[in-house]
Structure formats: structure tokens, C-alpha cells
Amino acid sequence: MLLLLLLQVSASCLWLGRSEVVTSFESSCPQFFFRETPPNEALEPESPAWICQRYKNQYYFATLYDTKRRIPVYSAYLYQPGPGTRPKTWLVEPQLMGPIYPKTMEREWTLLNYFNVSLEQLSKSQAILHDYKNLTGLNRGHLNPSGHHPDSSSRTATFTLTNIVPQDEKLNGGAWKNYEQQTMIRRTQGCDTTYVIVGAVPGNNYIAKGRVNKPSHIWSSACCEVDTNHRKAWAVIAENDKNEVQLLTLGELEDVLTQLYGRDQVSLFDSDCPRE
């Protein structure tokens, strides 16, 4: 009996060491941030989870997740658009339930049938598919869009519910889609590497009987390296009940987010990324 207990403790420690819910992006998946510098603490929620998003044993982006409101605070990724079809399979993050569960995103069905996990257990730490059923006037809005990635695996990785917020359907299919698909193409002309951080400001309303927060605003920011000596940046923000996107400088977005959150001054990128 003692040996069994020791083996269980040992296995738990191994999983803890390998878990992709981490304490710091800088030490685990810094490659998705310009100069390996994530946003400062001004955006951190009461119950945060730092996720190095992993699919098929590879990192694809990073997400700061609010486990209480069950929406992402932001997702960070490299802009690398490529041709391909839109995935259809939705995934969840078993690692949010604890260190003994898989560190890669999985389908709900897989967890329920092969890992002896209940929907109630899964739903305590994150949004589940049922939360997004029968939406009225809202879509499952990606923060990190699948179309900004180059291949099937990277696009599938964006279809985790930890990368999704309830987004106004007209905004999602209108002005926000235009920004993702048209403005980004124009803005990234001449860029060697483009770092993107896209986020959601928590609102006062909820879906799924109070389980999942509906953000008041959706925002996106980009820092582009033209070459080793030249960089450019831009940002947008949209109210989540209007089909309008406002183009801003990076500095302007940081000031707006500082006002919306009412905390310390927000900093999204390393200081070498231009604010004007």
C-alpha cells in the first residue's frame, strides 16, 4: 500500500513538472512574445492560468486564461497566414483540471470516455461546448484566428475553447473579420516577423446561466519587425455590441485598456516596440 502511494505521488510530481499550465510565459513559451516579453501584470485576472497551448506535442501559441469568468484574457501568437480549410473539431484544456491530466488539448468526448472525467468536473475550470449552445446574436469568437496560421495542426490548435469568447455575431462576421483578413495583410507588408496579442475586456453580462463572461471589448495589437533596426506597431479595439473597429496606435490602446481595467498602466510589448 505504501509503495502504491509513493508511486502515485511520484507520478503526480512528474505530471506537475510537465504540465503546460505554467507559472511564467518567459520560462516556458516565450517565443510568442516580442523580445520574449509578455504583457505586464495589469491585465491579470483574479484566477489566472498561464497556458502554453500545445497540440500534437508542439507549442502553437500562449493564452492567459481567466478560470473564474471562463474566457481568455489574451492570446499571443506569430502571424503566419497560409492556405487551408477551417477546422471543425472543438477542443478543451484537460490540464486546467489538475496536473494528473493530459497537457495537450483534447476533445470533450475523449476525456469523458477515456479519462473518466465528468462534464461537471471539466466545467469547473473552463467553458465547455454546452456553454456555447443556442447562442442568440453571438458567435464563438476566436481571439487567435485559425486563418493566421500556416497549416492544419496550427489552425486546429486555435479551436480550443480557452481561445474563445462570446462575440457579437455582426462584429465577428463583419468589421472584425475585415480587420483579421484584410487590414492585417496590408499592415504586415514588409514585416519579417509579426507578434500579435489579442484580448478581451471582461464585461458585466454572462451567457450559460452566468458561467461564461461576455466581454465588453475585443482588442488586438501587433508588433512587426521589419529588420533588426526597424519596427512598427498598430492596434485596434471594438465594443462587443457594435460592428465597428477603431484603429489605434499601440500606445493609444495601452492607455484605453488602462482606463477600462482601472489598474496600473498596461504594457503589452517590450519597450522597443514603438508606441506612436
Side-chain angles (χ1 to χ4, degrees), residues 3-270:
L3 178 60
L4 179 60
L5 180 60
L6 289 172
L7 286 172
Q8 288 176 332
V9 171
S10 176
S12 177
C13 290
L14 284 172
W15 272 110
L16 187 62
R18 297 174 63 196
S19 175
E20 303 308 297
V21 173
V22 299
T23 57
S24 165
F25 287 139
E26 292 99 328
S27 60
S28 301
C29 50
Q31 65 268 34
F32 302 112
F33 302 93
F34 173 64
R35 296 281 170 84
E36 301 189 347
T37 305
N40 66 349
E41 297 178 355
L43 300 180
E44 288 182 15
E46 181 182 332
S47 302
W50 292 265
I51 307 172
C52 293
Q53 300 280 15
R54 192 179 182 99
Y55 179 67
K56 291 187 176 180
N57 209 35
Q58 183 174 337
Y59 295 133
Y60 286 105
F61 60 105
T63 299
L64 177 59
Y65 190 72
D66 186 337
T67 60
K68 184 176 181 180
R69 295 184 178 94
R70 297 181 178 87
I71 58 170
V73 177
Y74 64 74
S75 289
Y77 63 95
L78 298 179
Y79 177 73
Q80 299 171 313
T85 58
R86 179 181 171 90
K88 297 179 180 179
T89 301
W90 288 95
L91 306 167
V92 292
E93 291 289 349
Q95 56 184 320
L96 288 176
M97 293 184 292
I100 65 171
Y101 296 100
K103 61 182 179 178
T104 58
M105 52 187 76
E106 299 280 356
R107 292 187 301 162
E108 276 186 18
W109 185 90
T110 302
L111 294 175
L112 299 180
N113 289 276
Y114 289 101
F115 290 91
N116 198 29
V117 171
S118 68
L119 269 182
E120 181 182 3
Q121 185 181 3
L122 179 64
S123 68
K124 288 179 180 179
S125 60
Q126 61 197 283
I128 58 175
L129 287 170
H130 185 74
D131 293 329
Y132 282 90
K133 290 287 179 66
N134 303 317
L135 293 178
T136 302
L138 297 170
N139 289 156
R140 300 173 187 176
H142 283 71
L143 290 192
N144 177 359
S146 64
H148 285 187
H149 295 272
D151 54 44
S152 176
S153 291
S154 57
R155 286 190 293 271
T156 299
T158 68
F159 272 68
T160 167
L161 293 183
T162 54
N163 181 45
I164 299 297
V165 298
Q167 186 175 15
D168 181 88
E169 64 179 0
K170 291 182 180 178
L171 173 63
N172 190 32
W176 195 259
K177 181 179 180 181
N178 181 68
Y179 172 72
E180 290 180 338
Q181 296 187 1
Q182 304 299 327
T183 307
M184 279 294 287
I185 292 176
R186 294 195 301 270
R187 286 270 168 170
T188 54
Q189 292 298 312
C191 294
D192 181 52
T193 305
T194 302
Y195 298 86
V196 180
I197 301 176
V198 54
V201 180
N204 297 321
N205 298 312
Y206 285 77
I207 65 168
K209 298 181 179 179
R211 279 182 40 80
V212 179
N213 185 267
K214 178 194 170 187
S216 63
H217 297 75
I218 314 293
W219 55 269
S220 184
S221 57
C223 183
C224 145
E225 288 188 297
V226 178
D227 54 43
T228 55
N229 298 315
H230 298 89
R231 288 164 292 279
K232 60 181 180 177
W234 61 91
V236 292
I237 193 166
E239 294 182 47
N240 196 20
D241 57 2
K242 297 178 182 177
N243 186 19
E244 299 175 8
V245 169
Q246 184 180 6
L247 186 62
L248 304 171
T249 66
L250 175 57
E252 287 172 339
L253 175 63
E254 291 176 331
D255 288 344
V256 170
L257 292 178
T258 299
Q259 293 177 353
L260 289 172
Y261 275 86
R263 302 180 195 165
D264 296 335
Q265 175 67 40
V266 171
S267 176
L268 298 176
F269 290 98
D270 179 88

